[in-house]
């Protein structure tokens, strides 16, 4: 019998289950971490309390997918003929199984996605009913939610599925959803910004090329899309979008409910929306400068003005990273190769020089370096996607790939309902000995 992604995953799951079971049964009482008052009040920063084998974020080095750096992932994943960047379908294979697929195995996943990509009419009807002034992330989240009617997991759960098989129904839902996301996103883009002119997808293309086709943007936008989806796909489990997806799925909400929720978390300006904020901020500067590139001193003044008015500099800082984000570096390298003379790239590059010393001097941000969002919108703008409200939708497609892989594994390993415990301020004061 031909080995498919699903049969390979099934083998991996069977091999992995005893590891989790042993840790729980024999070592369940071993302490992993201590928790301080600052962490309890401060958004649970750094508390080690989630497990994922799909990616790991080292504060100094950045993200690794299945143990591989992004450079290694890009080098070792198969690429479509003539492409600079690997197929996203191969990335999904790697995230799920931990193995680099062959060309043949990637083709099988492309075929699977292609079979599942048709979006039901009722989803388009829901999208069409939104006013044009709605934010695309709201439409995107709702469109995903609407698809919950199609959930294989829900159908099988109602029919009485065995716990051990939850992951298989979830796998079906995940593939059905991931295959449709680029179609939904392109439809929203065309509705909001191109007067509804729709370009049909091509079932023979991989996800990146197909997305470029539906956006109506020529090469190398296929590689831009592949790179964008790849670098945004996962950032371990504690960030807002990943954690939301995991949390909601832990109540056995189906993949549509879970991914729609994670999209809502991603839509905040301190998280995924920062990519549109970077472009908005840069344009404010450009307007004030009459499109002329500011001198270093002028740019420094713009940065200080923003900080002094109590706002953050979007695209800089990170809750975990303490170095320049490798996702930023990859996009910068791509920009240096493909758009070195783009005025916005020059602005963004000037910021790279100017912002870190200022944030260090201000002394508040623990990480003064740029994150993924400092550069992604710059590339989109260059290739004609100038409606920056849309940028977080692109992030959302990428992030869904990693979160779907995580939710499938959550179900396979039987991770339970998430339920941390809260305390009151009175309790904290008593604990530390404050008398009132
Ligand atoms: N500009 C100005 N001040 C900043 C800053 C920035 N870029 N980054 C951090 N700070 C400030 C914080 O606002 C905080 O100030 P207060 O003490 O007054 O509250 C202080 O420095 C300490 O913050 P931190 O511990 O370094 O950072 P956090 O873990 O609290 O927050 C953030 C991390 C990413 C939210 C933060 O760096 C930020 O707001 N950055 C700008 C927005 C941004 O780029 N977000 C995208 C991050 C990447 C991501 O998730 N993408 O999806």
């Amino acid at each position: 019998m031909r080995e498919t992604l699903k049969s390979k995953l099934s083998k991996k799951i069977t091999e992995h289950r005893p590891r989790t079971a042993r840790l729980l049964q024999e070592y369940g009482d071993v302490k992993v971490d201590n928790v301080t008052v600052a962490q309890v009040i401060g958004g649970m920063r750094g508390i080690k309390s989630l497990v994922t084998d799909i990616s790991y974020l080292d504060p100094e080095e950045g993200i690794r997918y299945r143990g591989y750096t992004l450079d290694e992932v890009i080098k070792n994943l198969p690429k479509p003929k003539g492409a600079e960047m690997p197929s996203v379908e191969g990335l999904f294979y790697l995230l799920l199984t931990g193995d680099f697929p062959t060309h043949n195995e990637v083709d099988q996943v492309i075929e699977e996605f292609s079979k599942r990509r048709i979006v039901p009419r009722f989803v388009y009807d829901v999208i069409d009913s939104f006013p044009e002034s709605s934010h695309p992330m709201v439409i995107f989240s709702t469109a995903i939610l609407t698809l919950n009617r199609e959930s294989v997991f829900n159908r099988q759960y109602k029919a009485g599925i065995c716990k051990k098989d939850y992951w298989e129904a979830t796998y079906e839902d995940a593939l059905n959803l991931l295959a449709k996301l680029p179609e939904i996103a392109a439809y929203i883009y065309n509705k909001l910004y191109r007067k509804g002119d729709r370009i049909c997808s091509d079932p023979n293309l991989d996800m990146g090329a197909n997305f470029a086709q539906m956006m109506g943007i020529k090469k190398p936008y296929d590689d831009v899309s592949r790179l964008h989806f790849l670098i945004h796909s996962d950032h371990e489990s504690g960030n807002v979008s990943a954690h939301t997806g995991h949390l909601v799925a832990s109540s056995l909400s189906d993949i549509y409910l879970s991914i729609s929720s994670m999209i809502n978390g991603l839509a905040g300006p301190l998280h995924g929306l920062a990519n549109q904020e970077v472009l908005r901020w840069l344009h404010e500067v450009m307007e004030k400068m009459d499109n002329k590139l500011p001198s270093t001193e002028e740019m420094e003044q713009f940065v200080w003005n923003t900080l002094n008015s109590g706002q953050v500099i979007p695209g800089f800082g990170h809750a975990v990273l303490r170095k320049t984000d490798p996702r930023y570096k990859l996009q910068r390298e791509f920009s240096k190769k493909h758009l070195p003379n783009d005025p916005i790239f020059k602005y963004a590059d000037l910021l790279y020089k100017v912002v870190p010393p200022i944030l260090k001097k201000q002394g508040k941000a623990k990480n003064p370096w740029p994150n993924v969002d400092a550069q992604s919108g710059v590339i989109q703008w260059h290739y004609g996607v100038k409606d920056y409200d849309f940028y977080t939708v692109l992030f959302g497609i990428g992030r869904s790939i990693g979160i779907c892989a995580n939710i499938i594994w959550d179900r396979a390993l039987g991770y339970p309902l998430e339920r941390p415990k809260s305390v009151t301020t009175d309790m904290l004061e008593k604990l530390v000995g404050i008398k009132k």
Side-chain angles (χ1 to χ4, degrees):
M1 207 180 70
R2 172 174 102 145
E3 185 172 63
T4 60
L5 172 57
K6 195 171 179 183
S7 63
K8 177 156 193 170
L9 182 59
S10 178
K11 253 195 253 161
K12 296 264 175 189
I13 288 169
T14 310
E15 280 162 21
H16 192 110
R17 277 177 173 154
R19 294 173 63 194
T20 305
R22 181 168 184 213
L23 279 169
L24 267 176
Q25 278 155 18
E26 295 179 33
Y27 305 98
D29 292 331
V30 175
K31 279 213 171 78
V32 178
D33 213 343
N34 294 312
V35 181
T36 63
V37 171
Q39 286 173 309
V40 172
I41 296 177
M44 300 188 278
R45 283 292 179 297
I47 302 172
K48 295 191 185 85
S49 54
L50 294 157
V51 196
T52 176
D53 299 302
I54 290 175
S55 66
Y56 181 75
L57 178 57
D58 181 88
E60 302 295 322
E61 185 194 53
I63 192 71
R64 276 178 184 258
Y65 294 162
R66 288 288 185 180
Y68 300 103
T69 63
L70 289 181
D71 285 336
E72 288 165 342
V73 168
I74 290 175
K75 183 166 166 257
N76 292 311
L77 277 178
K79 300 175 181 65
K81 215 164 165 218
E84 204 179 313
M85 295 294 157
S87 330
V88 177
E89 290 86 344
L91 167 78
F92 184 57
Y93 188 107
L94 172 69
L95 295 183
L96 270 184
T97 65
D99 295 340
F100 283 104
T102 61
H103 270 284
N104 213 357
E105 286 164 334
V106 173
D107 285 346
Q108 280 182 36
V109 185
I110 293 177
E111 208 183 305
E112 275 290 327
F113 274 41
S114 184
K115 278 194 294 198
R116 299 165 188 251
R117 74 181 202 293
I118 305 291
V119 178
R121 183 68 244 168
F122 66 84
V123 177
Y124 291 133
D125 290 343
V126 170
I127 295 175
D128 287 341
S129 68
F130 271 90
E132 308 250 309
S133 55
S134 303
H135 194 281
M137 281 298 267
V138 174
I139 310 180
F140 194 46
S141 168
T142 311
I144 293 168
L145 198 58
T146 309
L147 273 167
N148 136 287
R149 181 181 169 275
E150 307 283 291
S151 170
V152 175
F153 178 82
N154 280 348
R155 245 194 341 266
Q156 294 194 4
Y157 189 80
K158 272 186 207 142
I161 186 179
C162 168
K163 268 187 180 179
K164 234 168 66 278
D165 301 328
Y166 282 174
W167 77 265
E168 291 202 44
T170 304
Y171 173 92
E172 296 302 329
D173 279 349
L175 263 76
N176 286 337
L177 174 63
L178 290 175
K180 292 177 180 61
L181 288 181
E183 308 263 340
I184 294 173
Y187 188 87
I188 294 171
Y189 180 77
N190 290 330
K191 167 195 158 73
L192 293 183
Y193 313 115
R194 290 163 42 114
K195 299 193 175 70
D197 284 349
R198 194 174 167 206
I199 306 169
C200 287
S201 61
D202 179 344
N204 300 311
L205 298 174
D206 70 290
M207 189 191 274
N210 208 2
F211 186 66
Q213 140 105 5
M214 290 185 286
M215 293 288 284
I217 307 175
K218 293 198 169 46
K219 278 178 184 297
Y221 194 71
D222 52 345
D223 273 328
V224 169
S225 304
R226 293 183 190 106
L227 175 65
H228 191 96
F229 299 153
L230 186 144
I231 60 175
H232 288 90
S233 67
D234 212 30
H235 225 222
E236 69 170 40
S237 288
N239 67 76
V240 170
S241 54
H243 190 198
T244 308
H246 167 80
L247 169 69
V248 174
S250 83
S251 74
L252 293 188
S253 290
D254 61 59
I255 215 97
Y256 304 102
L257 292 159
S258 309
I259 297 295
S260 170
S261 309
M262 89 79 179
I263 291 289
N264 298 343
L266 193 66
L270 295 187
H271 193 16
L273 206 79
N275 58 12
Q276 83 166 50
E277 289 301 290
V278 171
L279 263 278
R280 193 177 56 78
W281 191 89
L282 281 175
H283 274 93
E284 273 173 27
V285 177
M286 285 176 102
E287 218 168 89
K288 285 182 191 140
M289 287 302 300
D290 251 347
N291 287 332
K292 183 173 74 64
L293 188 68
S295 65
T296 304
E297 294 71 31
E298 282 168 329
M299 191 60 116
E300 283 171 352
Q301 197 50 55
F302 283 120
V303 172
W304 276 116
N305 290 349
T306 299
L307 290 176
N308 291 338
S309 65
Q311 298 170 63
V312 296
I313 308 297
F316 287 79
H318 202 273
V320 178
L321 271 170
R322 293 297 173 253
K323 283 270 165 69
T324 296
D325 192 334
R327 303 172 298 175
Y328 170 87
K329 279 191 191 155
L330 270 168
Q331 295 183 101
R332 184 165 181 264
E333 286 311 307
F334 188 93
S335 304
K336 273 166 68 181
K337 182 170 172 196
H338 292 279
L339 43 131
N341 298 318
D342 186 290
I344 303 199
F345 173 57
K346 288 189 174 158
Y347 264 71
D349 229 35
L350 184 55
L351 277 184
Y352 186 28
K353 190 173 142 199
V354 162
V355 175
I358 294 182
L359 286 179
K360 277 189 204 165
K361 193 164 176 198
Q362 193 205 29
K364 275 169 69 173
K366 294 191 188 70
N367 174 32
W369 303 106
N371 59 57
V372 66
D373 299 311
Q375 192 68 43
S376 49
V378 171
I379 302 179
Q380 294 297 329
W381 182 276
H382 178 82
Y383 290 103
V385 185
K386 298 192 171 177
D387 308 280
Y388 41 79
D389 277 10
F390 189 68
Y391 295 169
T392 318
V393 173
L394 301 172
F395 192 154
I397 299 176
R399 185 50 54 95
S400 301
I401 298 165
I403 311 301
C404 280
N406 270 286
I407 293 174
I408 293 167
W409 272 97
D410 290 351
R411 295 269 156 94
L413 298 179
Y415 289 163
L417 188 77
E418 196 178 299
R419 184 52 168 101
K421 183 84 186 83
S422 58
V423 288
T424 64
T425 306
D426 275 347
M427 287 173 186
L428 284 181
E429 285 169 342
K430 202 168 157 202
L431 181 88
V432 300
I434 294 175
K435 293 204 171 66
K436 285 196 290 180

